[in-house]
Amino acid sequence: MKNFIFYLILLIFALGLSSGFSAELIVKTFPIKSADPRAVESIAESLKSEKGKVTFDPRTNLLVVVDTPQNVDRIQKVIQEMDIDLKMVQIEVSIIETASQILDDIGLKSSYFILPKADLAASMSLLENSQDTHIRSKSTLTTLSNQPARIQVTEDAVIGEHHTVYYPSGHRVVEPVTTPVGSILEVLPSVNSDNTITLTIKPFLSTLDDQSVLPLERSMYSRVVINDQDTIVLGGVDSGQDRDQSRSVILGIPLSKTKSSSLTKTAIFLTAKIMD
C-alpha cells in the first residue's frame, strides 16, 4: 500500500507540475473510515483551490489532497467532522398485555411515557409477577446510529393470481400474487453528541380490505429523545373482549380512540442502549 501511495503522489505532482503548480502546494492523505468516501471526495473537490487536486483510491480507502496548506487544513477539518465512527445501538422490544391498572401504576396514563433505567427493573418485576400479564413477544436487535431497525410479524396473504402462457405449447401456469399482512415496527435511533438517543418510531399495520381484497395500511409516527438505556413505553388500547377493536391496533398502539369495558391493555416497552 505504501508503494501505491508513493507512486500516486508522484503522479499527482507530475500532473501538477505540467499544469504549472507552484511549489507552495503540499500533499496529504486521509484514510476514510466510516463516511461515504464519494461524499467526502465531492466535498473536498468543492473546497479545493483552482490549483488543488483531490483523488480517492477505493482500494486503500485513501483520499489524497494536493493543495495549499490553508486549503488542506480546511479540508481536513471537514473530513474530521464527516468521518466519525458511528455508534451501535441495541434495541430491545417487548410487547406486553396486562391489566390496565398495572400499566397505570407504572405511569402509563397517556399514549406514551419514558421509563428511566433506574425504574425499569421494578416496573418489569411488577408486570411479571402479575397473573394478568402475558408477554406476547420479545425481540432484540442491533443497528448503527441513523440506520433503521425493523421488527416484522407478518404472513403472506393471497390477493390475486398471475397467469403465464408458454408458447408454442400453450401451457398455462397460474401463480398466486401475495402481499405481507400483519404488524411492523420501524425504529430509527440517532445517537446525539450528549449521548442521548433520538428515536423515530413508526408502527404500522397492513390488512386486507374485506370488500376489494386489496391491502390497507395504517400507521403512526412518533419522535422522542431518551437517555441511554431508558425505555419508552407505548400504549395501549383495551383488548381481549372486543376483538373488532383490536384490528385498529398496531403492535399494541391505538390508531383511533374507541370505548371498551375491557380491563386489559397492550403496551410496547422499547429500550435503546448505546453499545461500547
Side-chain angles (χ1 to χ4, degrees):
M1 187 177 77
K2 292 182 179 179
N3 289 337
F4 171 81
I5 297 172
F6 175 75
Y7 287 118
L8 181 61
I9 292 173
L10 285 181
L11 176 61
I12 293 174
F13 266 122
L15 293 173
L17 291 174
S18 66
S19 304
F21 279 17
S22 64
E24 66 181 10
L25 302 183
I26 63 172
V27 180
K28 191 160 187 177
T29 60
F30 299 96
I32 307 303
K33 302 174 184 176
S34 302
D36 181 347
R38 295 305 175 188
V40 175
E41 182 182 20
S42 177
I43 294 296
E45 281 282 354
S46 67
L47 294 175
K48 70 179 180 62
S49 66
E50 293 183 356
K51 297 180 179 180
K53 282 189 176 294
V54 175
T55 303
F56 174 71
D57 173 47
R59 189 177 67 86
T60 58
N61 241 34
L62 285 173
L63 187 75
V64 182
V65 179
V66 180
D67 211 334
T68 62
Q70 295 83 359
N71 267 359
V72 170
D73 287 343
R74 288 175 58 204
I75 293 171
Q76 180 174 4
K77 290 178 181 178
V78 172
I79 292 176
Q80 288 173 344
E81 293 179 0
M82 293 180 65
D83 194 30
I84 57 175
D85 290 332
L86 294 179
K87 295 185 178 181
M88 301 290 293
V89 180
Q90 183 184 77
I91 298 173
E92 296 182 2
V93 178
S94 297
I95 302 175
I96 296 176
E97 187 176 276
T98 190
S100 175
Q101 184 59 49
I102 295 179
L103 292 177
D104 290 344
D105 290 343
I106 66 174
L108 185 58
K109 298 180 180 179
S110 58
S111 59
Y112 79 89
F113 80 104
I114 296 173
L115 188 62
K117 174 188 174 183
D119 300 333
L120 179 60
S123 298
M124 294 305 296
S125 177
L126 178 64
L127 287 165
E128 293 171 355
N129 290 331
S130 170
Q131 294 181 349
D132 298 321
T133 298
H134 173 60
I135 299 176
R136 291 168 53 185
S137 68
K138 273 189 174 183
S139 303
T140 301
L141 46 88
T142 304
T143 185
L144 281 171
S145 174
N146 295 318
Q147 294 296 318
R150 183 182 179 99
I151 299 172
Q152 182 170 326
V153 182
T154 61
E155 60 182 4
D156 289 335
V158 178
I159 60 173
E161 294 180 343
H162 177 72
H163 296 256
T164 303
V165 179
Y166 293 92
Y167 295 98
S169 65
H171 178 63
R172 181 186 295 270
V173 176
V174 180
E175 298 176 322
V177 178
T178 63
T179 187
V181 296
S183 299
I184 299 172
L185 178 65
E186 292 183 350
V187 183
L188 177 65
S190 300
V191 179
N192 305 314
S193 58
D194 59 355
N195 270 359
T196 59
I197 306 171
T198 299
L199 291 174
T200 303
I201 306 169
K202 182 183 178 183
F204 57 93
L205 177 69
S206 177
T207 59
L208 293 182
D209 180 74
D210 293 335
Q211 302 297 325
S212 61
V213 199
L214 293 176
L216 298 175
E217 185 177 296
R218 290 168 288 180
S219 64
M220 292 181 64
Y221 176 89
S222 301
R223 176 174 288 179
V224 295
V225 179
I226 65 173
N227 293 319
D228 181 26
Q229 300 186 51
D230 280 356
T231 300
I232 177 171
V233 184
L234 303 168
V237 300
D238 298 337
S239 61
Q241 295 177 6
D242 189 353
R243 307 312 298 178
D244 290 336
Q245 178 180 268
S246 65
R247 295 176 187 172
S248 64
V249 180
I250 297 176
L251 290 169
I253 301 175
L255 294 181
S256 60
K257 294 181 180 179
T258 56
K259 295 181 179 180
S260 172
S261 59
S262 172
L263 297 178
T264 302
K265 286 187 176 180
T266 303
I268 298 177
F269 287 69
L270 192 155
T271 305
K273 175 183 178 182
I274 301 173
M275 305 297 290
D276 295 329

